[in-house]
Amino acid sequence: MKNPPKTNKLSASALRREREKQLRRQSILSAAEILFAHNGYRKTKIEDIAGKAEVSVGTVYGYFQNKEELLTAVLDDIGLYIRKLAGKAFGDADSVLEGIERAGMAFFEELCRPYPEKVLLLCDESIGVGDQFVNARRNFMLKMTEDVHGALMKGKDGLGLKFASGISAEVIAVCTTAIFVWLGMYYKIWRKRPGDINTIGRETVTYIVGGIKSLMVS
Amino acid sequence: MKNPPKTNKLSASALRREREKQLRRQSILSAAEILFAHNGYRKTKIEDIAGKAEVSVGTVYGYFQNKEELLTAVLDDIGLYIRKLAGKAFGDADSVLEGIERAGMAFFEELCRPYPEKVLLLCDESIGVGDQFVNARRNFMLKMTEDVHGALMKGKDGLGLKFASGISAEVIAVCTTAIFVWLGMYYKIWRKRPGDINTIGRETVTYIVGGIKSLMVS
Amino acid sequence: MKNPPKTNKLSASALRREREKQLRRQSILSAAEILFAHNGYRKTKIEDIAGKAEVSVGTVYGYFQNKEELLTAVLDDIGLYIRKLAGKAFGDADSVLEGIERAGMAFFEELCRPYPEKVLLLCDESIGVGDQFVNARRNFMLKMTEDVHGALMKGKDGLGLKFASGISAEVIAVCTTAIFVWLGMYYKIWRKRPGDINTIGRETVTYIVGGIKSLMVS
Amino acid sequence: MKNPPKTNKLSASALRREREKQLRRQSILSAAEILFAHNGYRKTKIEDIAGKAEVSVGTVYGYFQNKEELLTAVLDDIGLYIRKLAGKAFGDADSVLEGIERAGMAFFEELCRPYPEKVLLLCDESIGVGDQFVNARRNFMLKMTEDVHGALMKGKDGLGLKFASGISAEVIAVCTTAIFVWLGMYYKIWRKRPGDINTIGRETVTYIVGGIKSLMVS
DNA sequence: TATGAATGAGAGTTCATTCAT
DNA sequence: CATGAATGAACTCTCATTCAT
């Protein structure tokens, strides 16, 4: 009797509540991402995030245990997005080298250019936050390294490529990520020279591809 | 009016006082550099800096207007050191490409490896500090770009090299600096694998040189 | 208007509902008592009480207006229990003095020893809660005083005893309650010396009886 | 030259500063004692204490690490005062029993009556504060027990008194302290009946002495 | 000029209470 | 009547900066 009949109606209401919960979580996350990137982790108050997400401070703490967890969640989100981007770029390419070029262009065109702030979070504010965040960033880098390694070893052209050493993939992942992160920071300066932006993007990718090639052995 | 009486005695004492003043300034700066790098800008208290420099809090404010100016001074110091390092590397080399390699190795061997924290200051903690610091970093990057540009255009071998475009030097400067900064961060992880460190250093430089070469035209 | 139709069926269901209501109220009260006593009033969250009583937070507020009322209800419960205990002890005794001793032992054996926390609620956390609670505690003490006074004046042995003054009963009630409350607190320390517990109990009752006797005049 | 001459003047200024420091510490402590006792530990804000002591919030934290340490310091202060009081009372008496009576009256006249709030801190607010405070209170009680034990065993009359058992002194210390603590609480009610106050005091001491005597063996 | 105690605005976090479902 | 997510006021503690000595 206490159990409500499992009609469509109730199920629907439960579903809707679940959907709203996800939406609210997402809106808090988005607000945090924007504010962290714009003003920095420390300067961003929970109150600001709550305000931007149009919820109360308490609600933020209902979805995230504390400020650091919020930052970690933001980072995870960005990492997921980046890896998807790269995966798609490689999937569309016919060879490893083309994949690299496409991924490079995708990073630039679809990440650094439209959302330079997202990329900055990977670098900025890392010291002094806490171990949880540092671990999250480390995990992101490890996954990136695996992705790069995997992509380079099992090219669509059937024959994988060989590297100078067993840790070359790691070096490549780190150097390449570094460039994009730094690029995000410089985008804030460069965006004022719109005529050069395309050239900068193209040449940066050229630099990256050149760097990667130099660590390959035929 | 401002001039003190120019007797010998006073002059000597004035000189000594001036010397002591410089020494004290330097000791505050060093303390700040070490602590900022180790614990991050935010977590470092003025009190800590004063303690390490063996002066009082008030004295720190006698030499630097505020915390941000202290960070800016630290950054300027590091920038100077880096440019000297690169200048010496290019000076010792017989060709532009050799200069690039030497500079790369110097960065790695004489900066990232012994002082990974110094390098981190270029990246971490940048957001949310203040405009003064952001400007200082921008200036550092602009000077770096000039250096790279100059070095590449006027090689010791007489004939300068040509680049894909007029802003290639800038792209190179930015990408290369990015890698070293990021390397500083990863050094903290990699230092636990001492066997790989040398390989990592060598391959990183290879990557950089490969990147630079790919933006050159014969 | 308020009256529901008096059909048998509904009446039965109404009764059951009433019973369930009482049960639920009781389970909330018990949960509160345990948690208040274990963790203190301040540290106990309404959420915890709801959780232990297996109801929702909102339901707690359906039965009690606010947190203070809950504490007051808990106190009333304990007070009732104590007075019953004392009443029974006196009822079983053949003389006033024997009643005093029996009551003392009952306090110790059936309250302080098994539920030291209950007794603590009378003392701890009293300041800063609110007037409602302070009043509840005052009422408890007034009733205790009446009980003591009544018990001492109308002993089973026919002839009541005389006191030093008109407020001696009050003094006795207060001092005796004080000892038991404090004993509850010390039980936490003493329970680690099980060998001494019985002696402590016996001697405490001796102290109390001695105190009471000294305020009597033959 | 940097060393200032150790003239009387400087020494005096250092002394004065030290004195002022102690005064300020004391004024913070007093403010805390009064507010904790009046409004309870939880309800008392650091801001209130700072306000009453006419210093800033930061200054409070310059003298005490955190709120709990402040409470602990307050307790230690009171404990010291109580033990001094008792010591003096016993010192003035010619026999152990007289000492007990004098100490009891001193408690009542010089502590409970003028400062009922002080006494309350020993009981109230104990749960939910922290281990540091609980330890402080336990230490206070242990010292009290020692004091009582010592006083009873080595009376001025040359021959110490014998007790029912080895832990009687402990039982006496605990019961007696309990009464005074509780008395402090009841003083708030009783103060409205000024005519009875003296009687209450006298009879309470009688109760205590009666209790103690009943644990003695000739 | 050096000192370091005092300042006080500011931020993260908690939790009693409410109310739409 | 039950639910539990949302609310937001309140509180503790930090630390850059000032200023009397």
Side-chain angles (χ1 to χ4, degrees):
Chain A
M1 268 180 178
K2 278 180 178 178
N3 305 1
K6 306 269 179 188
T7 61
N8 282 0
K9 238 180 181 169
L10 277 175
S11 181
S13 121
L15 272 177
R16 195 205 45 206
R17 214 175 300 158
E18 185 59 28
R19 224 182 313 129
E20 276 174 358
K21 217 169 150 176
Q22 285 307 322
L23 274 180
R24 197 160 285 208
R25 196 193 130 92
Q26 199 42 244
S27 80
I28 293 170
L29 211 54
S30 299
E33 189 175 310
I34 293 167
L35 291 173
F36 283 161
H38 257 269
N39 309 329
Y41 177 73
R42 286 318 236 279
K43 274 196 169 171
T44 301
K45 296 180 249 177
I46 298 291
E47 197 190 335
D48 298 338
I49 295 171
K52 191 168 188 75
E54 291 177 316
V55 298
S56 73
V57 170
T59 302
V60 174
Y61 280 89
Y63 286 88
F64 301 91
Q65 289 236 321
N66 52 37
K67 205 182 173 187
E68 189 185 352
E69 192 182 300
L70 200 40
L71 176 57
T72 306
V74 166
L75 179 63
D76 285 344
D77 235 38
I78 296 173
L80 200 63
Y81 180 69
I82 291 179
R83 296 181 70 212
K84 270 187 194 162
L85 215 62
K88 188 170 170 302
F90 270 92
D92 291 349
D94 290 326
S95 75
V96 172
L97 287 182
E98 199 198 327
I100 291 170
E101 277 198 54
R102 276 176 182 266
M105 289 309 291
F107 271 137
F108 187 76
E109 297 291 348
E110 296 175 45
L111 190 68
C112 293
R113 187 120 73 132
Y115 315 114
E117 309 91 0
K118 281 195 190 210
V119 132
L120 275 179
L121 281 179
L122 285 171
C123 172
D124 273 313
E125 306 291 336
S126 63
I127 295 186
V129 171
D131 294 338
Q132 195 183 352
F133 175 76
V134 171
N135 276 333
R137 189 169 60 183
R138 181 180 308 190
N139 283 338
F140 164 70
M141 281 304 299
L142 291 177
K143 281 186 204 143
M144 278 288 289
T145 304
E146 279 172 36
D147 285 359
V148 170
H149 199 264
L152 297 179
M153 300 305 271
K154 297 157 207 148
K156 261 196 174 170
D157 42 5
L159 14 99
L161 301 171
K162 281 184 186 156
F163 289 108
S165 80
I167 55 175
S168 300
E170 206 168 341
V171 170
I172 289 170
V174 168
C175 291
T176 308
T177 309
I179 291 172
F180 283 111
V181 168
W182 203 243
L183 214 59
M185 193 155 74
Y186 267 76
Y187 195 82
K188 290 187 167 175
I189 299 175
W190 283 334
R191 61 162 38 128
K192 286 160 195 161
R193 291 150 54 187
D196 294 338
I197 281 295
N198 284 329
T199 313
I200 287 168
R202 211 180 327 110
E203 295 202 349
T204 301
V205 174
T206 306
Y207 182 106
I208 290 168
V209 173
I212 296 175
K213 274 187 189 164
S214 70
L215 284 176
M216 287 176 170
V217 289
S218 62
Chain B
M1 276 176 178
K2 280 177 178 177
N3 304 1
K6 304 264 179 191
T7 63
N8 278 3
K9 238 184 179 170
L10 279 175
S11 184
S13 107
L15 273 177
R16 196 207 48 209
R17 221 177 297 151
E18 182 60 28
R19 225 182 312 128
E20 277 175 358
K21 219 170 145 178
Q22 283 307 319
L23 274 180
R24 201 164 280 205
R25 193 192 133 92
Q26 195 44 241
S27 81
I28 294 171
L29 208 55
S30 297
E33 189 176 312
I34 292 167
L35 292 173
F36 283 161
H38 256 270
N39 309 328
Y41 178 72
R42 287 325 226 283
K43 273 192 169 175
T44 301
K45 298 178 238 177
I46 298 292
E47 197 190 334
D48 297 339
I49 295 171
K52 195 171 188 72
E54 291 177 316
V55 298
S56 74
V57 171
T59 302
V60 173
Y61 279 88
Y63 287 89
F64 300 90
Q65 288 236 321
N66 53 34
K67 202 182 174 187
E68 189 185 352
E69 193 183 299
L70 202 40
L71 176 58
T72 305
V74 166
L75 179 62
D76 284 345
D77 236 36
I78 296 174
L80 199 63
Y81 179 70
I82 291 179
R83 295 182 68 211
K84 271 186 193 162
L85 214 62
K88 186 168 173 303
F90 269 93
D92 290 349
D94 291 326
S95 75
V96 172
L97 286 183
E98 200 199 326
I100 290 171
E101 276 197 56
R102 277 174 182 268
M105 288 310 290
F107 271 138
F108 187 76
E109 297 290 348
E110 295 174 46
L111 191 68
C112 293
R113 187 121 70 134
Y115 315 115
E117 309 91 0
K118 280 196 189 206
V119 134
L120 274 180
L121 280 180
L122 288 170
C123 171
D124 272 314
E125 307 290 335
S126 63
I127 294 189
V129 171
D131 294 337
Q132 194 182 353
F133 174 76
V134 171
N135 276 332
R137 189 169 61 186
R138 181 181 310 189
N139 284 337
F140 163 70
M141 281 307 295
L142 291 177
K143 281 186 204 144
M144 278 288 288
T145 305
E146 277 172 38
D147 285 359
V148 170
H149 197 263
L152 297 178
M153 301 304 274
K154 298 152 206 156
K156 260 198 175 168
D157 44 4
L159 15 98
L161 301 170
K162 282 184 185 155
F163 288 107
S165 81
I167 55 175
S168 300
E170 203 167 346
V171 169
I172 289 171
V174 168
C175 289
T176 307
T177 309
I179 290 171
F180 282 112
V181 168
W182 203 243
L183 213 59
M185 190 155 77
Y186 267 77
Y187 195 81
K188 292 188 169 173
I189 299 175
W190 281 335
R191 62 163 38 130
K192 286 163 195 157
R193 291 150 53 188
D196 295 338
I197 281 294
N198 284 327
T199 313
I200 287 168
R202 211 179 329 110
E203 295 202 348
T204 301
V205 175
T206 306
Y207 182 106
I208 289 169
V209 173
I212 295 175
K213 275 187 188 164
S214 70
L215 283 175
M216 287 175 170
V217 290
S218 60
Chain C
M1 273 174 181
K2 279 177 180 180
N3 304 359
K6 307 265 182 187
T7 62
N8 280 2
K9 236 182 183 171
L10 277 176
S11 184
S13 106
L15 272 177
R16 194 207 49 212
R17 223 177 296 153
E18 184 59 27
R19 226 182 312 129
E20 277 174 0
K21 217 170 146 177
Q22 283 308 320
L23 273 180
R24 199 162 284 204
R25 193 191 131 93
Q26 197 43 241
S27 79
I28 294 171
L29 209 55
S30 299
E33 189 176 314
I34 293 167
L35 292 174
F36 283 161
H38 257 269
N39 309 328
Y41 178 72
R42 286 323 223 287
K43 274 194 171 173
T44 301
K45 297 179 239 177
I46 298 292
E47 197 190 333
D48 297 340
I49 296 171
K52 193 167 187 73
E54 292 177 316
V55 299
S56 73
V57 170
T59 301
V60 173
Y61 279 88
Y63 288 88
F64 301 90
Q65 287 234 320
N66 53 36
K67 203 182 173 187
E68 189 184 353
E69 193 182 301
L70 201 40
L71 176 58
T72 306
V74 166
L75 180 62
D76 286 344
D77 236 37
I78 295 172
L80 200 62
Y81 179 71
I82 290 178
R83 295 183 69 213
K84 271 186 194 164
L85 213 61
K88 186 169 172 301
F90 270 92
D92 291 348
D94 291 327
S95 76
V96 172
L97 286 182
E98 198 198 329
I100 290 171
E101 277 198 54
R102 278 177 181 265
M105 289 310 290
F107 271 136
F108 186 76
E109 298 290 349
E110 297 175 43
L111 191 67
C112 293
R113 186 119 75 133
Y115 316 115
E117 309 91 0
K118 279 197 190 208
V119 131
L120 275 179
L121 280 179
L122 286 171
C123 171
D124 272 313
E125 307 290 333
S126 62
I127 294 188
V129 171
D131 295 337
Q132 193 181 354
F133 174 76
V134 171
N135 277 333
R137 189 169 61 184
R138 181 180 309 188
N139 285 338
F140 162 72
M141 281 306 297
L142 292 177
K143 281 185 204 142
M144 278 288 290
T145 305
E146 280 172 36
D147 285 0
V148 170
H149 198 264
L152 297 179
M153 300 304 274
K154 297 154 206 152
K156 262 196 172 171
D157 44 5
L159 13 100
L161 301 170
K162 281 184 186 158
F163 288 107
S165 81
I167 54 175
S168 299
E170 205 168 341
V171 170
I172 289 172
V174 168
C175 290
T176 307
T177 309
I179 291 172
F180 283 112
V181 167
W182 203 243
L183 215 59
M185 192 155 74
Y186 267 75
Y187 195 80
K188 292 186 168 176
I189 299 175
W190 282 334
R191 60 163 39 128
K192 287 161 195 158
R193 292 151 53 187
D196 294 338
I197 280 295
N198 284 328
T199 312
I200 286 169
R202 210 179 330 109
E203 295 203 347
T204 300
V205 174
T206 306
Y207 182 107
I208 290 169
V209 173
I212 295 174
K213 275 186 187 164
S214 69
L215 285 176
M216 288 177 169
V217 289
S218 62
Chain D
M1 270 180 175
K2 278 180 176 176
N3 304 0
K6 305 269 180 194
T7 61
N8 283 0
K9 237 181 181 169
L10 277 175
S11 182
S13 120
L15 272 176
R16 196 205 45 208
R17 214 175 297 155
E18 185 58 28
R19 223 183 313 127
E20 276 174 359
K21 217 168 148 178
Q22 285 306 321
L23 274 180
R24 199 161 285 208
R25 196 192 131 92
Q26 197 43 243
S27 81
I28 294 170
L29 210 55
S30 298
E33 190 176 310
I34 293 167
L35 292 174
F36 283 162
H38 256 270
N39 309 328
Y41 177 73
R42 288 319 236 277
K43 271 195 171 174
T44 301
K45 295 179 249 177
I46 298 293
E47 196 189 335
D48 298 339
I49 296 171
K52 193 167 189 74
E54 291 178 317
V55 297
S56 73
V57 170
T59 301
V60 174
Y61 280 91
Y63 286 87
F64 301 91
Q65 289 237 322
N66 52 36
K67 204 182 173 186
E68 189 184 353
E69 194 184 297
L70 200 40
L71 176 58
T72 305
V74 166
L75 178 62
D76 285 344
D77 235 37
I78 296 173
L80 200 62
Y81 181 69
I82 291 179
R83 295 181 68 211
K84 271 186 195 163
L85 215 61
K88 188 170 171 301
F90 269 92
D92 291 349
D94 291 325
S95 75
V96 173
L97 285 184
E98 199 198 327
I100 290 171
E101 275 198 56
R102 278 175 181 266
M105 287 311 288
F107 271 136
F108 188 74
E109 296 290 349
E110 296 174 45
L111 191 70
C112 293
R113 189 125 64 138
Y115 316 114
E117 309 90 0
K118 281 197 191 209
V119 136
L120 273 180
L121 281 179
L122 287 171
C123 171
D124 273 313
E125 305 291 335
S126 63
I127 295 189
V129 171
D131 295 336
Q132 195 184 350
F133 174 76
V134 171
N135 277 332
R137 188 171 59 187
R138 180 180 310 189
N139 284 338
F140 163 70
M141 281 306 297
L142 292 178
K143 280 186 204 143
M144 278 288 289
T145 306
E146 278 173 39
D147 286 359
V148 171
H149 197 264
L152 297 178
M153 300 304 273
K154 299 154 206 152
K156 260 196 175 170
D157 42 4
L159 15 97
L161 301 171
K162 282 185 187 154
F163 289 106
S165 81
I167 55 175
S168 300
E170 204 168 344
V171 170
I172 288 171
V174 168
C175 289
T176 307
T177 309
I179 291 172
F180 282 111
V181 168
W182 203 243
L183 215 59
M185 191 154 78
Y186 266 77
Y187 195 82
K188 291 188 166 173
I189 299 175
W190 282 334
R191 63 163 35 130
K192 286 161 195 158
R193 291 152 52 188
D196 295 339
I197 281 294
N198 285 328
T199 313
I200 287 170
R202 210 179 331 110
E203 297 203 347
T204 301
V205 174
T206 306
Y207 182 107
I208 289 168
V209 173
I212 295 174
K213 275 187 188 163
S214 70
L215 284 176
M216 288 175 171
V217 289
S218 62

